Amino acid sequence: AIKRAAGEGADATQEIRYEGYAPGGVAVMVDCMTDNPTRTVAEVRHAFSKHGGSLGTSGSVAYLFSEQGQLLIETAADAALEERILEAALEAGAEDVISEDGYTEVVTAPADFASVKAALDALTLTYVEASVGQRAATQVAVAGEDAETVSKLLERLEALDDVQEVYSNAEL
């Protein structure tokens, strides 16, 4: 402990993924980076139990997610811009392009993310989000009290110091 406090054990951080369920059958994955797994699992478990969820075992919800690139662009229902994005993205190797509610989402394989982003950069777009992460295969619609509880759980998890990313299949 003294060596770690002095900085000698600073490279002892670990990447850990916790999986669990929130109210309403919502699957949640939490990616953490920690130097103290015991503390981190206690914090994550406490957040789940305080908000009506439960921490699961490894692999309990991971099968519901896959790693994909996502580029989200605000298009304000501009059909011409949506068409240019669709054309450029598909030519660059995007898997899917979804336009709805004034936004266009481009989904890519992780290996194709950089080339698709470069093709879209040529259109001088502003991204709402551009990242590679876990994407849920199916969404679970949650409303009312469950939606409020799930939202609080996700906020609580994101506020933890060791948490890097929180993924869920909740459609709030």
Side-chain angles (χ1 to χ4, degrees):
I2 292 171
K3 288 181 180 179
R4 192 168 53 228
E8 291 179 30
D11 61 341
T13 58
Q14 301 175 25
E15 289 184 32
I16 302 174
R17 173 171 287 160
Y18 298 107
E19 304 173 25
Y21 285 96
V26 173
V28 180
M29 279 195 339
V30 184
D31 285 342
C32 301
M33 180 80 70
T34 183
D35 61 347
N36 187 343
T38 306
R39 178 194 67 229
T40 304
V41 73
E43 290 174 346
V44 171
R45 181 176 285 121
H46 178 72
F48 271 100
S49 63
K50 182 173 174 92
H51 297 286
S54 62
L55 193 60
T57 60
S58 181
S60 61
V61 300
Y63 70 94
L64 296 170
F65 295 86
S66 62
E67 187 173 33
Q68 293 182 324
Q70 175 186 12
L71 298 134
L72 187 62
I73 305 141
E74 186 173 0
T75 54
D78 180 351
L81 178 58
E82 290 174 3
E83 186 64 32
R84 289 197 323 263
I85 292 171
L86 174 68
E87 191 175 303
L90 292 178
E91 284 180 17
E95 291 180 357
D96 198 6
V97 178
I98 306 160
S99 294
E100 62 183 23
D101 299 330
Y103 292 92
T104 299
E105 179 183 19
V106 179
V107 179
T108 71
D112 298 332
F113 179 77
S115 62
V116 172
K117 186 173 184 307
L120 293 176
D121 285 344
L123 300 175
T124 62
L125 301 170
T126 303
Y127 302 103
V128 175
E129 181 181 343
S131 62
V132 175
Q134 299 294 323
R135 182 179 168 88
T138 59
Q139 296 291 317
V140 174
V142 187
E145 191 175 310
D146 280 347
E148 187 176 318
T149 305
V150 169
S151 179
K152 286 181 182 178
L153 170 61
L154 297 177
E155 288 174 13
R156 173 75 181 250
L157 289 169
E158 289 173 354
L160 296 175
D161 289 338
D162 294 336
V163 172
Q164 302 297 306
E165 295 289 336
V166 177
Y167 305 102
S168 78
N169 66 347
E171 188 175 294
L172 302 173

